[in-house]
Amino acid sequence: MQKDNKFKSKDDIQYIVGTNVRRMCKEKNVNLMEFSEEIDISYEYLRHIVSIGGQKSLSFYSMYKIAKILGVSMDEMCDGIFDEKTNYMGTK
Protein backbone atom coordinates (compact mmCIF):
# COMPACT_ATOMS: atom_id res chain seq x y z
CA MET A 1 0.00 0.00 0.00
CA GLN A 2 1.42 3.37 -1.01
CA LYS A 3 1.37 6.10 1.60
CA ASP A 4 -0.05 8.65 -0.87
CA ASN A 5 -3.18 6.56 -1.44
CA LYS A 6 -3.99 5.92 2.22
CA PHE A 7 -4.96 9.45 3.26
CA LYS A 8 -6.05 12.63 1.58
CA SER A 9 -3.52 15.43 1.65
CA LYS A 10 -3.84 18.38 4.01
CA ASP A 11 -4.48 20.57 0.94
CA ASP A 12 -7.36 18.33 -0.14
CA ILE A 13 -8.98 18.47 3.29
CA GLN A 14 -8.52 22.25 3.62
CA TYR A 15 -10.04 22.71 0.18
CA ILE A 16 -13.05 20.49 0.88
CA VAL A 17 -13.85 22.03 4.29
CA GLY A 18 -13.27 25.57 3.02
CA THR A 19 -15.53 24.94 0.02
CA ASN A 20 -18.25 23.50 2.24
CA VAL A 21 -18.07 26.46 4.65
CA ARG A 22 -18.15 28.94 1.75
CA ARG A 23 -21.19 27.21 0.23
CA MET A 24 -23.03 27.10 3.57
CA CYS A 25 -22.35 30.78 4.27
CA LYS A 26 -23.58 31.69 0.80
CA GLU A 27 -26.73 29.57 1.16
CA LYS A 28 -27.52 31.23 4.50
CA ASN A 29 -26.58 34.74 3.29
CA VAL A 30 -23.95 35.06 6.01
CA ASN A 31 -21.87 38.23 6.06
CA LEU A 32 -18.28 37.01 6.51
CA MET A 33 -17.18 40.10 8.45
CA GLU A 34 -19.94 39.67 11.04
CA PHE A 35 -19.51 35.89 11.04
CA SER A 36 -15.78 36.18 11.79
CA GLU A 37 -16.62 38.27 14.85
CA GLU A 38 -19.19 35.71 16.04
CA ILE A 39 -16.71 32.83 15.83
CA ASP A 40 -13.87 34.98 17.20
CA ILE A 41 -11.40 34.65 14.33
CA SER A 42 -10.10 37.43 12.14
CA TYR A 43 -11.94 38.32 8.97
CA GLU A 44 -8.72 37.86 7.01
CA TYR A 45 -8.24 34.34 8.38
CA LEU A 46 -11.85 33.41 7.59
CA ARG A 47 -11.40 34.74 4.04
CA HIS A 48 -8.40 32.44 3.62
CA ILE A 49 -10.41 29.46 4.91
CA VAL A 50 -13.25 29.96 2.45
CA SER A 51 -11.13 31.14 -0.48
CA ILE A 52 -10.75 29.05 -3.58
CA GLY A 53 -8.10 26.51 -2.69
CA GLY A 54 -8.72 26.55 1.06
CA GLN A 55 -5.50 28.34 1.93
CA LYS A 56 -5.82 27.93 5.71
CA SER A 57 -6.88 25.07 7.92
CA LEU A 58 -9.27 25.22 10.84
CA SER A 59 -8.81 24.02 14.37
CA PHE A 60 -11.34 21.52 15.59
CA TYR A 61 -12.72 24.15 17.97
CA SER A 62 -13.16 26.70 15.17
CA MET A 63 -14.93 24.06 13.07
CA TYR A 64 -17.22 23.37 16.01
CA LYS A 65 -18.07 27.09 16.41
CA ILE A 66 -18.71 27.50 12.67
CA ALA A 67 -20.96 24.43 12.59
CA LYS A 68 -22.86 25.56 15.70
CA ILE A 69 -23.53 29.06 14.41
CA LEU A 70 -24.44 27.88 10.90
CA GLY A 71 -26.72 25.20 12.37
CA VAL A 72 -24.99 22.35 10.55
CA SER A 73 -23.24 19.19 11.71
CA MET A 74 -19.50 18.61 11.68
CA ASP A 75 -20.27 15.80 9.23
CA GLU A 76 -21.81 18.30 6.82
CA MET A 77 -18.73 20.50 7.06
CA CYS A 78 -16.56 17.48 6.23
CA ASP A 79 -18.77 16.25 3.39
CA GLY A 80 -16.51 14.85 0.68
CA ILE A 81 -13.45 14.18 2.82
CA PHE A 82 -14.14 10.49 3.11
CA ASP A 83 -15.18 10.10 -0.52
CA GLU A 84 -12.15 8.34 -1.93
CA LYS A 85 -12.73 9.83 -5.38
CA THR A 86 -12.90 13.49 -4.33
CA ASN A 87 -9.55 15.24 -4.40
CA TYR A 88 -8.06 18.73 -4.50
CA MET A 89 -10.19 21.19 -6.43
CA GLY A 90 -13.23 19.00 -5.81
CA THR A 91 -12.80 16.77 -8.84
CA LYS A 92 -13.97 13.20 -8.81
Side-chain angles (χ1 to χ4, degrees):
M1 180 183 314
Q2 293 180 351
K3 183 179 180 182
D4 293 340
N5 293 333
K6 188 173 181 181
F7 299 107
K8 284 200 177 352
S9 71
K10 181 178 177 181
D11 289 341
D12 286 344
I13 292 170
Q14 286 176 195
Y15 174 81
I16 292 166
V17 171
T19 299
N20 289 339
V21 172
R22 181 176 60 248
R23 176 182 48 77
M24 291 170 188
C25 286
K26 187 175 180 177
E27 289 171 357
K28 295 175 184 283
N29 296 317
V30 171
N31 175 296
L32 292 182
M33 181 72 77
E34 293 170 4
F35 190 54
S36 68
E37 292 172 10
E38 276 191 85
I39 57 176
D40 197 29
I41 62 174
S42 74
Y43 171 69
E44 190 66 29
Y45 193 78
L46 181 59
R47 277 185 356 110
H48 284 290
I49 290 166
V50 301
S51 69
I52 302 297
Q55 300 169 3
K56 298 282 184 182
S57 61
L58 281 167
S59 70
F60 185 79
Y61 185 61
S62 292
M63 283 182 64
Y64 161 77
K65 290 191 294 186
I66 289 170
K68 185 87 169 159
I69 291 171
L70 289 176
V72 299
S73 69
M74 296 285 280
D75 284 345
E76 290 173 277
M77 288 184 56
C78 296
D79 186 42
I81 290 176
F82 296 102
D83 178 353
E84 294 304 317
K85 295 179 184 175
T86 303
N87 57 22
Y88 192 60
M89 301 306 287
T91 57
K92 291 188 177 191

